[in-house]
Amino acid sequence: MTQTNPPGADLPEHPDFLWRNPEPKKNYDVVIVGGGGHGLATAHYLVRNHGITNVAVLEKGWLAGGNMARNTTLIRSNYLWDESAAIYEHSLKLWEGLEDDLGYPILFSQRGVLNLAHTEQDVRDSVRRVEANKLNGIDAEWLGPDEVKRICPIINTAEDIRYPVQGATYQPRAGIAKHDYVAWGFGRRVDEAGVDLIQDCEVTGFTVDGDRVTGVRTTRGDIGCGTVALCAAGHTSVLLDQLGVRAPLQSHPLQALVSELLEPVHPTIVMSNAVHVYVSQAHKGELVMGAGVDSYNGYGQRGAFHIIERQMAAAVELFPVFARAHLLRSWAGIVDVTPDASPIVGHTPYENVFVNAGWGTGGFKATPGIGWCFAHTLAHGEPHPYVAPFGLDRFTTGALVDEHGAAAVAH
């Protein structure tokens, strides 16, 4: 009888401390506010691509303890519009080489993603997106119900259910990565390069001189800065308020949950806008499930129970085999959402303050790509071409990038 290892047995052991805990210096060339995935990736590419090492990353809690620790780790690039395809596909290509770049395991598993279609309108929209993806050089296919069943045998494709599966888009290169390992890899790398990762350091205000910010006020003292980069995800609007800048951002709780450990049964990622659930199976065997955002605004990292109830009903409808699986735990992150479901990246009214926010549910998958492009923006004082369409000024010019249909879940 062949002996096989149980799910998760091949995971690396948890490491010892991977970075220092320095005291903040009086001045830095660049101060990054937010020690999550985007802040750490920005620091990495400032060092790697531009040789800028006098950098501090300020985190009010512990490193990567916000949305980076509270997402469902999905990675894909099959967005509709050219502008979105460019930044997300750039990111996916970086994900494919990130383990070698960081010299650290991130457990990137390219298992593909199915986006289900349940109505004739879903089918028309999905086929349109597949063709748009192909024009942008992104791997995408349209599959019928039988092909969906071949890729994910446990999905219910019966014709007499409330939301019958009429087909799906499929991106084979999509996948998942282990979020904490990603953060640790970035943190270790930038610490080795001399970047100061300063935890338990909340920004409470800014020192302003005309149209420039000369320093940030923190719970660990004032810090002088040449350039300020705001990467605080759901709390960006709070920081911008301190500068007197109103941004078109709304912050919502977004819940996720995991089941008990199961044998490998779910070979890909399945998403459904219509029934509002998406499911993958983690490296250790838990089913990881997400839904749409809670409709109210707030910063509490929890959500309403009725979302979980609907999420479970949708999951069991798509996967009857899960009917007896037990819920292990749930959590919520805070997503910042813009009116067109696309991010805000680039200039603010202050000459040396740049913002990276508004990713909604797309933040984790964009991590290396936005790190690369935001570092370029900070180093050159002008947006990288991939993020130039996502400036704050589009809400006055009307040049919106409406990705509601490709954002996968409601927000």
Side-chain angles (χ1 to χ4, degrees):
M1 184 176 178
T2 303
Q3 185 72 33
T4 58
N5 292 327
D10 298 329
L11 289 175
E13 292 294 327
H14 276 202
D16 205 343
F17 290 106
L18 294 173
W19 52 83
R20 303 161 292 130
N21 272 314
E23 290 297 318
K25 297 190 296 190
K26 289 187 177 179
N27 289 281
Y28 292 92
D29 292 335
V30 179
V31 169
I32 298 171
V33 182
H38 287 202
L40 294 170
T42 300
H44 172 63
Y45 292 112
L46 278 173
V47 174
R48 178 189 185 277
N49 294 354
H50 306 284
I52 299 173
T53 59
N54 187 23
V55 177
V57 179
L58 311 183
E59 169 55 47
K60 73 173 183 178
W62 64 91
L63 214 65
N67 283 359
M68 188 68 173
R70 295 171 174 273
N71 69 86
T72 48
T73 78
L74 307 186
I75 296 164
R76 61 187 177 91
S77 65
N78 57 350
Y79 284 74
L80 176 63
W81 297 109
D82 296 350
E83 297 90 340
S84 308
I87 180 64
Y88 283 109
E89 177 62 12
H90 176 58
S91 193
L92 180 49
K93 288 176 179 174
L94 291 174
W95 278 112
E96 290 172 326
L98 192 58
E99 192 160 295
D100 290 338
D101 185 16
L102 298 179
Y104 198 81
I106 62 168
L107 306 181
F108 182 37
S109 169
Q110 289 180 284
R111 57 185 65 181
V113 60
L114 292 165
N115 289 82
L116 302 180
H118 299 278
T119 66
E120 290 186 10
Q121 185 61 47
D122 280 350
V123 172
R124 285 192 288 268
D125 292 342
S126 299
V127 171
R128 178 192 181 199
R129 179 142 61 101
V130 165
E131 297 305 320
N133 289 163
K134 289 178 179 176
L135 289 173
N136 280 310
I138 293 169
D139 56 317
E141 305 170 32
W142 168 254
L143 306 179
D146 292 342
E147 294 167 295
V148 171
K149 188 77 172 177
R150 176 179 57 80
I151 291 175
C152 188
I154 60 172
I155 195 168
N156 184 6
T157 56
E159 296 179 357
D160 58 350
I161 59 177
R162 184 171 50 154
Y163 295 104
V165 176
Q166 298 197 14
T169 67
Y170 183 54
Q171 185 181 20
R173 289 166 57 239
I176 62 172
K178 206 156 182 350
H179 56 90
D180 41 4
Y181 286 67
V182 175
W184 297 341
F186 276 121
R188 167 179 168 270
R189 200 63 161 173
V190 298
D191 178 80
E192 289 174 343
V195 171
D196 284 350
L197 305 177
I198 303 171
Q199 303 174 88
D200 194 22
C201 182
E202 182 175 1
V203 172
T204 57
F206 298 89
T207 304
V208 177
D209 182 6
D211 63 353
R212 291 184 62 82
V213 168
T214 58
V216 294
R217 294 195 290 272
T218 81
T219 51
R220 298 184 62 176
D222 293 350
I223 300 173
C225 56
T227 298
V228 179
L230 303 180
C231 296
H235 287 74
T236 300
S237 56
V238 176
L239 293 168
L240 287 173
D241 275 349
Q242 294 172 354
L243 287 165
V245 178
R246 297 298 304 272
L249 292 169
Q250 293 193 42
S251 298
H252 297 262
L254 175 63
Q255 297 189 68
L257 54 88
V258 295
S259 73
E260 61 190 323
L261 302 180
L262 301 170
E263 293 295 319
V265 293
H266 199 289
T268 187
I269 305 159
V270 176
M271 314 182 78
S272 171
N273 267 353
V275 301
H276 271 180
V277 72
Y278 50 102
V279 184
S280 65
Q281 189 164 16
H283 298 82
K284 289 191 294 185
E286 309 103 314
L287 298 171
V288 182
M289 288 176 266
V293 300
D294 282 70
S295 58
Y296 57 87
N297 298 141
Y299 298 108
Q301 291 173 322
R302 58 190 180 277
F305 184 76
H306 72 277
I307 296 288
I308 296 176
E309 187 177 24
R310 292 175 187 171
Q311 191 178 0
M312 292 298 89
V316 172
E317 177 161 339
L318 286 177
F319 307 101
V321 69
F322 297 156
R324 294 183 180 275
H326 293 96
L327 170 65
L328 192 65
R329 59 190 172 88
S330 65
W331 65 91
I334 304 302
V335 295
D336 48 345
V337 181
T338 64
D340 62 355
S342 287
I344 298 171
V345 185
H347 291 288
T348 70
Y350 292 87
E351 180 184 342
N352 62 334
V353 179
F354 297 85
V355 64
N356 166 31
W359 289 88
T361 57
F364 181 75
K365 54 186 69 68
T367 297
I370 184 56
W372 180 292
C373 295
F374 202 39
H376 174 104
T377 301
L378 302 176
H380 295 276
E382 291 295 331
H384 186 283
Y386 285 156
V387 297
F390 300 111
L392 186 57
D393 61 351
R394 75 178 187 275
F395 297 102
T396 55
T397 64
L400 304 180
V401 186
D402 188 349
E403 283 291 356
H404 281 98
V409 294
H411 63 53

